[in-house]
Amino acid sequence: MEMHKENHAMTEKKNRADLDTLDHVAVSVQDVAASVSWYTTHFKCRVVYQDATWALLEFGNVRLAFVIPEQHPPHIAILGDPAAYGEPKPHRDGTSSVYITDPDGTNVEILALAKR
Amino acid sequence: MEMHKENHAMTEKKNRADLDTLDHVAVSVQDVAASVSWYTTHFKCRVVYQDATWALLEFGNVRLAFVIPEQHPPHIAILGDPAAYGEPKPHRDGTSSVYITDPDGTNVEILALAKR
C-alpha cells in the first residue's frame, strides 16, 4: 500500500500536497431521491444537499453528486484555477468554476473553493 | 466550508473515520493514451498504471481510472466488505471485490484492499 507508506508526509489538508484534488464526481441518474436512498443505505456517506434535480453526497475523501442530465451535466470537478481556462462563473456558495471538456467530451469543472 | 471546520477532528488516515472511502471512479474513454495525456497535462496527478485497455491516475484524495468499455465496465469503487454482497473475486494485486449495480444500472464495485 504505497498510499499508507506516505501517510507520514501528508499535510493537515488530508491530501498529498503534490497532487491535485478531485472535489466531486457528478453522475447522471433518473431519480435523485432513489439514488440518495440507495447509496445512503449501502454506504456510510452524508447528504450535503438534495433537491429534485441534484444531490451531493459526502464520502470520507471525496463527494459524489447525482444529477438529472436535463438540468445539470454529468462531470468531474477538480480543484484548480478556473481563470486559467476562461471567465470563472461565480456560484451562490462562493465557489467559482469554468467547464472544459476532455478528449471524450466529458465535462471537467475547474473549481475554485470559496475564499475564507 | 463545512469540510474545513471539521478538519481538526480528522484522523491520520486522511479520511473522516465515520464515512466510507470512494477508492476510484472509472470512466469510459475511446483512447486510454489520449486521456492519460490530457489529464496529466492539465492536472497534477500520477499515472499508477497504464496499458491499451485501461489506466489508473492518482489524485491527492482519490483515483481516476480510464477504461475501454468493451474491456472493462465503467464503475465507482467504494471500500467495503465485498463478502457482504456476494462471492468476492480476488485480483492479482491482492484486492478482492464484488460488483453490484445502483438503481440506474451504474456498476458499483465493493472493494477490499489487500491484506498487509
Side-chain angles (χ1 to χ4, degrees):
Chain A
M1 297 288 93
E2 186 191 1
M3 294 182 76
H4 289 177
K5 279 189 205 153
E6 294 184 9
N7 257 358
H8 66 280
M10 272 190 280
T11 69
E12 277 269 309
K13 290 174 65 198
K14 84 175 176 170
N15 293 335
R16 270 177 294 178
D18 61 325
L19 298 176
D20 279 341
T21 297
L22 202 155
D23 185 76
H24 62 272
V25 174
V27 299
S28 294
V29 300
Q30 293 291 319
D31 179 334
V32 170
S35 296
V36 168
S37 174
W38 191 86
Y39 279 85
T40 55
T41 298
H42 288 281
F43 305 109
K44 293 193 285 270
C45 54
R46 185 157 59 200
V47 181
V48 177
Y49 180 82
Q50 180 177 0
D51 69 20
T53 69
W54 74 285
L56 186 62
L57 295 190
E58 186 163 31
F59 283 79
N61 59 325
V62 71
R63 302 188 291 174
L64 179 63
F66 303 123
V67 292
I68 299 289
E70 304 82 52
Q71 298 264 353
H72 308 278
H75 61 273
I76 296 168
I78 298 173
L79 297 186
D81 177 15
Y85 292 91
E87 181 69 34
K89 179 182 175 186
H91 305 288
R92 277 178 294 183
D93 62 358
T95 63
S96 61
S97 66
V98 165
Y99 280 83
I100 60 177
T101 53
D102 79 3
D104 289 272
T106 297
N107 298 295
V108 178
E109 181 180 17
I110 311 298
L111 177 67
L113 294 180
K115 290 185 177 63
R116 304 180 71 199
Chain B
M1 293 288 91
E2 186 190 1
M3 292 180 78
H4 290 178
K5 279 190 206 152
E6 295 186 8
N7 258 358
H8 66 279
M10 272 191 281
T11 70
E12 277 269 308
K13 288 175 65 201
K14 86 176 177 172
N15 293 336
R16 271 177 292 178
D18 61 326
L19 298 177
D20 279 341
T21 297
L22 202 157
D23 184 75
H24 62 271
V25 174
V27 298
S28 293
V29 300
Q30 292 291 318
D31 179 336
V32 170
S35 296
V36 169
S37 174
W38 190 85
Y39 279 84
T40 55
T41 298
H42 287 281
F43 305 110
K44 293 193 285 272
C45 54
R46 184 158 59 202
V47 181
V48 177
Y49 180 82
Q50 181 178 359
D51 68 21
T53 69
W54 72 285
L56 186 62
L57 295 190
E58 186 163 31
F59 283 79
N61 59 325
V62 71
R63 301 187 293 174
L64 179 63
F66 303 123
V67 294
I68 299 291
E70 304 82 50
Q71 298 264 351
H72 309 277
H75 61 272
I76 296 167
I78 297 173
L79 297 185
D81 176 15
Y85 292 92
E87 181 69 35
K89 180 182 172 186
H91 305 288
R92 276 178 294 182
D93 63 358
T95 63
S96 61
S97 66
V98 166
Y99 280 83
I100 60 177
T101 53
D102 79 4
D104 289 271
T106 297
N107 298 294
V108 177
E109 181 181 16
I110 311 297
L111 177 67
L113 293 179
K115 291 186 176 61
R116 304 180 72 201

